[in-house]
């Protein structure tokens, strides 16, 4: 990734999550990235294009992390547990990307084409869920509902971890939250 483009993305992640879309002019993003405003537009046609690229970049980063050490030979629960841990660790290591994704995943600024491109990145994980449904390990519900449930529990758990839970180690919180997740999707 180009150094200037990467700095623009990093600055935009931070500014969009702290100031919002409308209160983040491209001139501020460029200034924070240490580039000229014209340079921003050399990489992104519009502010809307930038936010769509951020959406895809955050999904790509998450998917890359989610894939680590997932063994297709493992049972469905073990695969989902690995994906869960990877997702949680990614969110804790990348709070700006996580917060951006959480804030903008349902935003009207994200184009339907961008959403579909992002969804395609999740095909390997969707396949695991479909296999779990087909083999009667997971509840026979729509994949969209299952993904929404998983996403919601991840988001809630990360929020608790970001705030800090007095007297509870983060590993314990993550494991208990996974048990709640597993109980909600398994047969």
């Amino acid at each position: 990734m180009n150094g200037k483009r990467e700095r623009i993305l990093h600055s935009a992640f931070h500014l969009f999550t702290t100031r919002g879309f409308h209160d983040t002019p491209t001139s501020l993003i460029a200034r924070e990235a240490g580039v000229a405003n014209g340079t921003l537009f050399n990489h992104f046609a519009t502010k809307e294009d930038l936010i769509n690229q951020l959406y895809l970049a955050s999904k790509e980063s998450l998917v890359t992390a989610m894939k680590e050490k997932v063994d297709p030979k493992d049972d469905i629960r073990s695969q989902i547990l690995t994906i869960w841990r990877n997702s949680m660790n990614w969110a804790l290591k990348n709070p700006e990307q996580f917060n951006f994704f959480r804030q903008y995943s349902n935003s009207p600024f994200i184009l339907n084409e961008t959403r579909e491109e992002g969804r395609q990145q999740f095909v390997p994980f969707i396949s695991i869920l479909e296999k779990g449904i087909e083999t009667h390990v997971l509840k026979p519900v729509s994949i969209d509902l299952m993904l929404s449930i998983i996403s919601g529990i991840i988001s809630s758990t990360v929020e608790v971890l970001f705030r800090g839970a007095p007297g509870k180690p983060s590993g314990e919180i993550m494991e208990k939250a996974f048990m709640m997740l597993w109980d909600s999707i398994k047969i």
Side-chain angles (χ1 to χ4, degrees), residues 20 31 43 68 71 91 124 126 158 165 171:
R31 185 169 52 246
H43 293 279
E68 290 180 21
D71 188 344
I126 290 170
V158 171

Side-chain angles (χ1 to χ4, degrees), residues 4 10 26 41 56 104 109 115 147 168 174:
K4 290 180 182 180
H10 178 74
T26 57
F41 289 109
L56 291 174
Y104 290 96
F109 301 115
R115 282 185 209 289
L147 288 172
K168 297 276 185 188
M174 288 192 297

Side-chain angles (χ1 to χ4, degrees), residues 120-149:
Q120 290 304 310
Q121 294 180 25
F122 278 86
V123 166
F125 311 110
I126 290 170
S127 296
I128 292 169
L129 298 176
E130 289 172 339
K131 182 178 179 189
I133 292 168
E134 289 168 12
T135 58
H136 306 287
V137 173
L138 301 178
K139 290 182 172 124
V141 299
S142 78
I143 293 298
D144 285 338
L145 176 59
M146 195 167 294
L147 288 172
S148 192
I149 289 167

Side-chain angles (χ1 to χ4, degrees), residues 3 8 26-27 34-35 59 69 76 91-92 97-98 112-113 115 131 139-140 146 148 150 160 171 179 184 187:
I8 293 166
T26 57
S27 58
V35 300
K59 275 218 166 180
K69 299 179 184 171
I76 298 294
L92 295 172
Q97 286 188 49
F98 175 78
N112 287 335
E113 300 83 36
R115 282 185 209 289
K131 182 178 179 189
K139 290 182 172 124
M146 195 167 294
S148 192
I150 293 168
V160 167
M179 289 184 335
S184 69
I187 289 187

Side-chain angles (χ1 to χ4, degrees), residues 77-109:
R77 184 185 186 282
S78 296
Q79 289 180 61
I80 293 173
L81 177 59
T82 300
I83 292 166
W84 165 265
R85 288 178 176 153
N86 291 344
S87 299
M88 297 299 296
N89 289 330
W90 175 85
L92 295 172
K93 289 178 187 173
N94 300 283
E96 285 182 343
Q97 286 188 49
F98 175 78
N99 285 328
F100 173 87
F101 188 74
R102 189 168 58 168
Q103 277 180 259
Y104 290 96
S105 62
N106 294 311
S107 167
F109 301 115

